Amino acid sequence: MSRPLVIAIDGPSGSGKSSVSKAIARHFGIGYLDTGAMYRAVTVWCQRQGIDLGDQAAVAAAADDLPLALGADPNDASVELDGEDVSEVIRSSAVSAVVSAVATNLDVRAILQGQQRALIEAIGEDWGGVVAEGRDITTVVAPDADVRVLLTASEAARLARRSTELHGRADDDTVAATHDEIVRRDRDDATVSEFQVAADGVVTLDTSALSFAQSVAAVIAVVEARQHNVEDPR
């Protein structure tokens, strides 16, 4: 039996990495891991437990003992916190506004990265492979993944996508309202993780001018090329 296929996908907010990663997992019939959901879950848990996000030691302790369960099915990637489905809660604007305080906590990152490595191994064994997506999966969490891809897109494209996702449209007002969430979070997270420039061996795919279907097809082509040891199809 061949070993599990591990695909690592990184990228900034609005690059399409979550939706594309789920589609890739469905295409290859393997599991899915959203590592960003873990940082958001820690944020929600700390808020509910009355833990100051500025208290780095307390937040790290919470992350180390987090009652979190992640669904690996790309068709139902649920996020449960202490038995409650918080899949929608963790995506709220209130969480997005403060999650960087958790994501830039180096002790939290070290703890969650260890958990992520264990999850990649476990999901890979259960599903025959896994698509893991986040910001430092290609470089820190799974640098030995079979396929490593950095999805990028222009700031304008990313703002329009996130605005449409959150507000159902991408006019000037909604894009402006989304600007802080996208630009500030990327700036803050870039202080502890490099996810805008591909490391050696990581394939960069700019999705700015690509539709969702085209973005998925491009990643599939990269995976299949690596599986057959041929040159990058692009």
Side-chain angles (χ1 to χ4, degrees):
M1 187 170 120
S2 61
R3 66 186 180 87
L5 170 66
V6 178
I7 302 171
I9 298 180
D10 284 335
S13 302
S15 60
K17 64 181 181 294
S18 293
S19 54
V20 169
S21 294
K22 290 177 184 177
I24 297 302
R26 286 192 292 267
H27 177 83
F28 289 102
I30 57 180
Y32 166 74
L33 174 62
D34 177 2
T35 64
M38 299 174 73
Y39 292 97
R40 288 175 174 272
V42 172
T43 303
V44 171
W45 184 248
C46 287
Q47 290 175 325
R48 293 183 173 182
Q49 299 300 309
I51 298 172
D52 182 355
L53 296 182
D55 186 339
Q56 296 194 349
V59 175
D64 197 32
D65 193 33
L66 191 69
L68 178 67
L70 297 175
D73 186 343
N75 293 309
D76 183 24
S78 60
V79 182
E80 290 189 359
L81 194 54
D82 200 23
E84 176 191 348
D85 190 330
V86 294
S87 303
E88 293 187 10
V89 175
I90 64 171
R91 303 295 175 190
S92 68
S93 295
V95 173
S96 295
V98 296
V99 67
S100 285
V102 173
T104 57
N105 183 323
L106 295 180
D107 290 335
V108 170
R109 294 194 75 81
I111 290 167
L112 294 189
Q113 286 163 356
Q115 295 176 8
Q116 289 157 13
R117 293 185 188 100
L119 284 168
I120 287 172
E121 182 175 355
I123 295 171
E125 290 179 356
D126 289 343
W127 286 76
V130 57
V131 179
E133 56 106 338
R135 294 190 188 273
D136 54 9
I137 311 305
T138 64
T139 54
V140 178
V141 177
D144 296 325
D146 301 288
V147 181
R148 296 182 296 156
V149 176
L150 175 66
L151 287 185
T152 65
S154 68
E155 181 177 299
R158 293 187 292 115
L159 285 171
R161 289 171 183 170
R162 187 53 57 86
S163 178
T164 301
E165 176 186 341
L166 294 176
H167 307 290
R169 62 188 190 280
D171 55 30
D172 290 344
D173 290 340
T174 56
V175 168
T178 309
H179 185 276
D180 180 67
E181 177 182 332
I182 295 291
V183 176
R184 178 189 52 75
R185 277 194 57 216
D186 284 348
R187 183 186 64 239
D188 291 348
D189 290 359
T191 64
V192 294
S193 177
E194 177 53 75
F195 55 87
Q196 300 184 29
V197 178
D200 289 345
V202 178
V203 177
T204 299
L205 288 175
D206 188 333
T207 66
S208 301
L210 301 181
S211 67
F212 172 69
Q214 290 171 329
S215 298
V216 172
V219 176
I220 290 174
V222 171
V223 175
E224 291 180 341
R226 292 296 174 89
Q227 286 180 316
H228 295 91
N229 295 315
V230 300
E231 293 297 320
D232 188 330
R234 298 172 302 111

